Amino acid sequence: MIDPTRLALRASLPLYAGTGLLAAAMILYEVALTRIFSIAYGYHFAFLAISLGLLGFGVSGTLIALRPRWIERVTGAGLASLSLLAACSFIAGYLVANNIPFDPYRVGWAPGQMPLLAAYLASLAIPFLLIGLVLGLPLAAWPGSAGHLYGANLIGSGSGGLLALFILDMATAESAL
């Protein structure tokens, strides 16, 4: 006789694998952004990558709370599409940010730099928002699997941190993105 809990676990393995891979990509992106900010703008901007991650995750959690219908409509295909969109947003956000004429050293005296700063940060925070949705919606939709989902997230995040050490040692931060 087949144990129903093992069958449910086996059926959810793509979800857990996707969660882990997306969490690894997110940490690698965050570490690469930290390196880019540190080199381009100085070490004091390096901490901005963590703030962007927190901003994106906070907005995604707020959206999930404000749109409970999204939780009812969560499907594997929908999460896969959202994951693909998040993956594309890594590169697109970085390319958009590079084309914004933001100069952090002029923010204090050039009022036109503030909207550029907002656009720059928003373009880099969108991947975190999308990943927050992909990671948060299954947790809200299937609370019985929260332990496994969170475990996959932690394993993926740890793997992404280790992967960042090797990738950023062999490649530039821009190519790591």
Side-chain angles (χ1 to χ4, degrees):
M1 179 161 185
I2 298 176
D3 182 13
T5 57
R6 297 198 84 202
L7 184 61
L9 179 62
R10 206 171 334 139
S12 299
L13 283 179
L15 177 63
Y16 301 139
T19 297
L21 289 172
L22 197 60
M26 180 207 47
I27 293 295
L28 179 57
Y29 177 70
E30 194 165 20
V31 171
L33 276 181
T34 302
R35 168 90 47 104
I36 290 167
F37 288 158
S38 178
I39 292 169
Y41 303 124
Y43 72 93
H44 49 283
F45 272 87
F47 305 105
L48 189 58
I50 296 167
S51 299
L52 288 174
L54 291 172
L55 173 68
F57 271 75
V59 170
S60 70
T62 302
L63 286 174
I64 291 171
L66 292 175
R67 303 277 189 216
R69 288 187 184 156
W70 288 0
I71 297 168
E72 300 165 4
R73 296 180 181 158
V74 173
T75 63
L79 290 173
S81 298
L82 200 53
S83 297
L84 182 60
L85 186 61
C88 292
S89 74
F90 285 132
I91 303 300
Y94 184 69
L95 291 175
V96 168
N98 280 338
N99 288 311
I100 295 173
F102 166 63
D103 183 1
Y105 301 107
R106 293 183 32 209
V107 169
W109 63 82
Q113 288 294 314
M114 290 307 280
L116 294 175
L117 173 63
Y120 182 80
L121 296 178
S123 67
L124 294 172
I126 287 174
F128 293 111
L129 181 143
L130 293 172
I131 291 171
L133 288 174
V134 174
L135 297 177
L137 283 169
L139 286 170
W142 304 301
S145 299
H148 289 107
L149 287 166
Y150 192 63
N153 188 340
L154 287 176
I155 290 169
S157 295
S159 300
L162 288 175
L163 190 61
L165 291 174
F166 295 110
I167 288 179
L168 291 175
D169 189 42
M170 295 184 293
T172 64
E174 290 86 5
S175 62
L177 284 175

